[in-house]
Amino acid sequence: MTRILVVEDEPAIRDMIGFALKQAGFQYDESEDAEQALAAVASGPPDLVLLDWMLPGMSGADLVRRLRGEEITAGLPIIMLTARVGENDRVHGLELGADDYVTKPFSPRELIARINAVLRRSVAVAGEQPIEFDGLCLDPVGHRVRTDGETLALAPTEFRLLHFFMSHPDRVYSREQLLDRVWGRGVFVEERTVDVHIRRLRKALAGRGYDRFIQTVRGTGYRFSTGN
Amino acid sequence: MTRILVVEDEPAIRDMIGFALKQAGFQYDESEDAEQALAAVASGPPDLVLLDWMLPGMSGADLVRRLRGEEITAGLPIIMLTARVGENDRVHGLELGADDYVTKPFSPRELIARINAVLRRSVAVAGEQPIEFDGLCLDPVGHRVRTDGETLALAPTEFRLLHFFMSHPDRVYSREQLLDRVWGRGVFVEERTVDVHIRRLRKALAGRGYDRFIQTVRGTGYRFSTGN
DNA sequence: TGCCGTTGTCACACTATTGTAACATTGCTG
DNA sequence: CAGCAATGTTACAATAGTGTGACAACGGCA
């Protein structure tokens, strides 16, 4: 499930966006200002940010700059919502690092279309970069996992699982969520199947001690994290 | 320093691109139309051309054709900027010889990403140079493959397959992708056909142990790599 | 025309992968 | 500490994915 963070101070617009997102099958969180948004992002980065240009307090532009500055959120796709139509402002917004912009008033369909377009692009671009944690390196393009020197042999599902975890570190996922995002929607398997694959992945990662990255959160699910 | 030639008649977009390129550490020149561009290229070819599809006077398509026609600029990487979204136009642009295309409106970050991708490819491919891995040498011009001294006899499809693999090492390709890029788009054959040709290629490479370069990635496709 | 290399497809063999169930262990709650 | 729920672990049968050899069609060429 794709998670979208909406940063918008005007309740009416927020509701409309929320409705459109729900219709389109996105999961979303809402923030009324930049501070709330930063907190939300810190507690777990979404897959995309919908950001109003005009916000009380810290402006949308400032928020973009902040997000781009942080290591973790530097690649986060951002779509600006703006009432301004001048070419200058548009260029300015894009220069700051937004991936796209939508001018008010906009139709829900246009919004969804742009979200999908940006997500496609960001997946295509960001999805190709190798991901590394503490010497454990996953290369999506070459479809390999390396630990200082040696290449691990992972079964397809193990690879997808690890790939998902390393793309979303420090977040707990329930078995149901993992089934959705690693196995795919509409696939019906027992939830306990996840446990077995976690076990297999851990076994593959062990030996070099990397199994400690796959953590159990009792009563909730599993998490990938280099700390604890 | 990588030099990029921007051919774009609209000043606002030119400025935005210029800013993005400067940010990304590229050096760039600007041309407002095809004639200026030709002159700029003649005075010293850039490393890449960013080319608007719609230009006053000679169109972007014509310019691509001209550049491809000249010996010196035939291999010059070209990225098309286009407002058109129809599949036909996109395919047409690529068929003419553009290496990639970006549809307006685009974000600076996407543009930079695509530029880097195209540059990587063009450096890696470099066209007509022989490609060598660990004593296995493929000569695109002479259309032959040598292993320390001896020349391998490869069937045409086997040669194209190996050529593609050696041009794109350490990347996994699905059967579908391989059919697209080795057999050509619009060719309808069974996916399992790829397996058979992989088998034949491996058989031809074996004997000297080079079949180990052709690796199976179960559930995904095949990969050419000297490591594992 | 007959020969030969190439190619796509199929049938079958083989193996890794996978989901599940069954049992063991852990950790919480009262 | 008992009892219970959650998770770890193992084994196994079914299956999907790949390797392999054979074969017929096709086209070039002598």
Side-chain angles (χ1 to χ4, degrees):
Chain A
M1 176 84 70
T2 308
R3 292 173 59 244
I4 297 182
L5 177 64
V6 180
V7 191
E8 166 68 62
D9 56 314
E10 212 174 315
I13 300 187
R14 223 165 47 217
D15 291 346
M16 171 195 143
I17 294 175
F19 183 78
L21 291 180
K22 208 186 293 178
Q23 287 285 83
F26 293 113
Q27 188 184 333
Y28 68 99
D29 301 310
E30 298 178 335
S31 301
E32 294 182 25
D33 55 43
E35 280 75 21
Q36 275 191 29
L38 279 173
V41 168
S43 78
D47 299 295
L48 185 144
V49 179
L50 267 181
L51 177 58
D52 192 10
W53 176 269
M54 297 290 288
L55 287 175
M58 186 192 292
S59 78
D62 291 329
L63 182 54
V64 170
R65 221 176 277 116
R66 277 287 292 274
L67 290 175
R68 288 290 179 251
E70 301 288 326
E71 168 86 25
I72 309 167
T73 57
L76 197 57
I78 299 175
I79 295 181
M80 302 281 295
L81 304 175
T82 169
R84 311 193 185 191
V85 290
E87 181 70 20
N88 266 353
D89 292 321
R90 165 189 153 191
V91 171
H92 195 57
L94 291 179
E95 274 175 5
L96 278 173
D99 295 272
D100 204 347
Y101 64 95
V102 179
T103 50
K104 299 179 192 176
F106 53 85
S107 75
R109 295 184 56 213
E110 182 193 0
L111 181 65
I112 299 302
R114 292 205 179 264
I115 287 174
N116 282 323
V118 167
L119 283 177
R120 255 197 312 279
R121 277 181 294 190
S122 81
V123 163
V125 173
E128 300 208 337
Q129 302 306 316
I131 315 169
E132 200 242 331
F133 289 94
D134 262 21
L136 179 67
C137 182
L138 183 144
D139 173 16
V141 174
H143 220 267
R144 294 195 247 219
V145 180
R146 285 215 172 81
T147 73
D148 28 48
E150 230 158 339
T151 304
L152 300 180
L154 294 185
T157 307
E158 286 156 36
F159 183 87
R160 286 202 310 277
L161 186 56
L162 181 60
H163 187 12
F164 176 75
F165 270 136
M166 294 182 74
S167 308
H168 304 83
D170 295 309
R171 282 184 62 99
V172 179
Y173 290 94
S174 70
R175 292 169 175 74
E176 192 187 340
Q177 288 175 312
L178 289 172
L179 285 178
D180 258 16
R181 306 200 48 170
V182 177
W183 274 254
R185 311 175 189 198
V187 178
F188 174 68
V189 287
E190 293 293 321
E191 290 204 342
R192 291 299 313 273
T193 298
V194 175
D195 297 35
V196 179
H197 280 274
I198 289 283
R199 149 79 171 155
R200 288 170 180 158
L201 182 53
R202 278 176 172 153
K203 196 184 250 177
L205 291 178
R208 281 162 203 79
Y210 288 112
D211 54 332
R212 71 193 171 87
F213 291 171
I214 310 286
Q215 297 159 3
T216 304
V217 181
R218 200 180 171 81
T220 310
Y222 296 96
R223 171 180 55 200
F224 180 95
S225 173
T226 57
N228 30 355
Chain B
M1 174 86 66
T2 307
R3 290 175 59 245
I4 296 182
L5 176 63
V6 180
V7 191
E8 166 67 64
D9 57 314
E10 211 174 317
I13 301 187
R14 224 166 44 220
D15 290 347
M16 173 191 137
I17 294 175
F19 182 84
L21 292 179
K22 207 187 296 178
Q23 287 285 83
F26 294 111
Q27 186 185 335
Y28 68 99
D29 300 311
E30 297 177 337
S31 301
E32 293 182 25
D33 55 42
E35 281 74 21
Q36 276 191 29
L38 280 173
V41 168
S43 78
D47 297 295
L48 184 145
V49 179
L50 266 182
L51 176 57
D52 192 8
W53 176 271
M54 297 289 289
L55 286 175
M58 185 191 294
S59 78
D62 292 329
L63 182 55
V64 171
R65 222 176 276 118
R66 278 285 294 271
L67 290 174
R68 288 291 180 249
E70 302 288 326
E71 171 83 26
I72 310 168
T73 56
L76 198 56
I78 299 176
I79 295 181
M80 302 281 294
L81 304 175
T82 168
R84 309 194 186 191
V85 289
E87 181 71 17
N88 267 353
D89 292 321
R90 163 187 152 194
V91 170
H92 196 59
L94 291 179
E95 272 175 5
L96 277 173
D99 295 273
D100 204 348
Y101 64 97
V102 178
T103 49
K104 300 178 189 175
F106 52 85
S107 75
R109 297 178 55 225
E110 184 193 1
L111 183 65
I112 299 302
R114 292 204 180 265
I115 288 174
N116 282 324
V118 167
L119 284 176
R120 256 198 311 278
R121 269 183 292 181
S122 81
V123 165
V125 172
E128 308 299 295
Q129 300 305 314
I131 315 169
E132 199 244 334
F133 288 94
D134 262 20
L136 179 68
C137 182
L138 182 144
D139 174 14
V141 180
H143 217 266
R144 58 182 68 183
V145 179
R146 290 175 190 283
T147 74
D148 29 48
E150 231 157 339
T151 303
L152 298 181
L154 293 186
T157 307
E158 285 157 36
F159 182 86
R160 286 203 311 278
L161 185 56
L162 181 60
H163 187 192
F164 176 75
F165 269 136
M166 294 182 73
S167 306
H168 304 85
D170 294 309
R171 285 183 71 105
V172 175
Y173 290 94
S174 68
R175 292 169 175 75
E176 193 187 340
Q177 289 175 312
L178 289 171
L179 286 177
D180 258 15
R181 307 202 50 172
V182 178
W183 275 254
R185 306 178 188 202
V187 178
F188 174 68
V189 288
E190 292 293 319
E191 289 204 342
R192 292 298 313 271
T193 298
V194 174
D195 296 36
V196 179
H197 281 273
I198 289 283
R199 151 79 172 153
R200 288 168 181 160
L201 181 54
R202 277 176 172 155
K203 200 183 248 179
L205 291 178
R208 283 163 201 80
Y210 288 114
D211 54 333
R212 73 192 171 88
F213 291 171
I214 311 287
Q215 298 159 1
T216 304
V217 180
R218 192 168 244 265
T220 308
Y222 297 96
R223 170 181 56 201
F224 180 95
S225 173
T226 58
N228 35 353

